[in-house]
Amino acid sequence: MKITVATKNPGKTREISRILRSFLPDVPLEIADLTAGGAFYESPEETGSTFMENAEMKARCAWEKLGPSAGLVLGEDSGLEVDYLHGLPGVRSHRFSGPAATDEQNNAALLKKLEGVPWEKRTARYRCAMVLVDGGAVVARSEGTVEGFILMAPRGTGGFGYDPLFYCPELGKAFGESSAEEKNKVSHRARALAGLAPVLRRMCQTQRENL
Ligand code: IMP
């Protein structure tokens, strides 16, 4: 079963691919993303006010550009919500400190905004919304979150994005200090994918029956 993840972020594709293969070990999966055609593929502007709206926009846009060759299309939008900042960076996580911001610049901007804020007020969560499109129509939606705290300084080099600043109480360490297996057990992305796995399993069964 072919799935195109509507992203150019290889960090996300890597995680989604590992998680889906662990949920569906018996389903033959071919997972692609938009990096191959990256030079000409214009990502849609993320104008939605929620992760779910943006996830759907990304999935529909990829389907319109790629058509049936994409197989199923998985739209994903995710980010960090910091309670002290009333939910920011939220849907602006990728471009928190400017349109072409690097992860390092975003992390520095976040630390600056939380300067002097005590530990108990540094609560945050990652949120991930996913939309599955088949033949141009939305067939499933799912959302996942993981709760944590924003550290006073980066820890570790694992993961991507805000991971060195995200302390996960469930793991007892920062995502930046965690292995891929550890992060994938509890992450917002894994929890969103857990909602989609039964749908994908059923679709695979139907495909087999129709062969
Ligand atoms: P998107 O490509 O618009 O969905 O951007 C999501 C942004 O949210 C990423 O560029 C990261 O800054 C942040 N983000 C989402 N998920 C994660 C994660 O698992 N780890 C670290 N940062 C994340």
Side-chain angles (χ1 to χ4, degrees):
M1 178 161 24
K2 179 166 181 186
I3 303 175
T4 298
V5 185
T7 185
K8 284 193 208 169
N9 179 336
K12 283 188 181 179
T13 312
R14 198 167 45 239
E15 286 190 7
I16 289 171
S17 181
R18 286 182 84 134
I19 296 164
L20 269 186
R21 286 179 206 287
S22 75
F23 285 159
L24 302 167
D26 49 328
V27 174
L29 292 171
E30 182 193 340
I31 299 180
D33 64 16
L34 306 177
T35 47
F40 63 84
Y41 187 97
E42 219 17 71
S43 303
E45 260 199 66
E46 294 178 27
T47 51
S49 57
T50 64
F51 293 114
M52 197 55 88
E53 279 172 31
N54 284 334
E56 181 165 344
M57 225 179 283
K58 289 181 192 178
R60 285 191 183 282
C61 177
W63 164 261
E64 275 158 27
K65 296 210 169 129
L66 302 174
S69 70
L72 296 170
V73 179
L74 179 61
E76 192 267 18
D77 198 48
S78 52
L80 183 68
E81 298 173 345
V82 178
D83 294 325
Y84 186 81
L85 302 176
H86 309 289
L88 289 177
V91 290
R92 298 181 45 81
S93 292
H94 186 54
R95 49 192 191 284
F96 189 40
S97 61
T102 62
D103 287 345
E104 289 71 25
Q105 288 167 337
N106 284 334
N107 286 349
L110 179 59
L111 279 182
K112 185 131 191 59
K113 286 204 186 293
L114 293 181
E115 233 165 43
V117 177
W119 181 247
E120 66 277 7
K121 291 194 177 159
R122 298 173 80 97
T123 51
R125 76 203 47 76
Y126 276 127
R127 187 181 297 278
C128 169
M130 288 186 170
V131 172
L132 192 63
V133 162
D134 182 17
V138 173
V139 291
R141 294 169 203 276
S142 185
E143 198 168 277
T145 57
V146 55
E147 300 288 329
F149 290 84
I150 302 303
L151 289 158
M152 308 284 181
R155 281 197 209 160
T157 53
F160 67 97
Y162 297 95
D163 283 346
L165 290 182
F166 188 82
Y167 179 84
C168 174
E170 282 177 80
L171 297 178
K173 54 182 155 181
F175 270 178
E177 298 172 300
S178 309
S179 67
E181 287 73 27
E182 288 169 327
K183 180 180 174 190
N184 290 346
K185 271 194 199 117
V186 299
S187 79
H188 49 317
R189 213 160 276 110
R191 288 173 176 161
L193 283 169
L196 293 187
V199 180
L200 290 168
R201 182 179 295 285
R202 271 198 303 278
M203 291 178 96
C204 179
Q205 268 159 5
T206 311
Q207 274 185 9
R208 279 186 182 140
E209 282 159 17
N210 291 338
L211 276 182

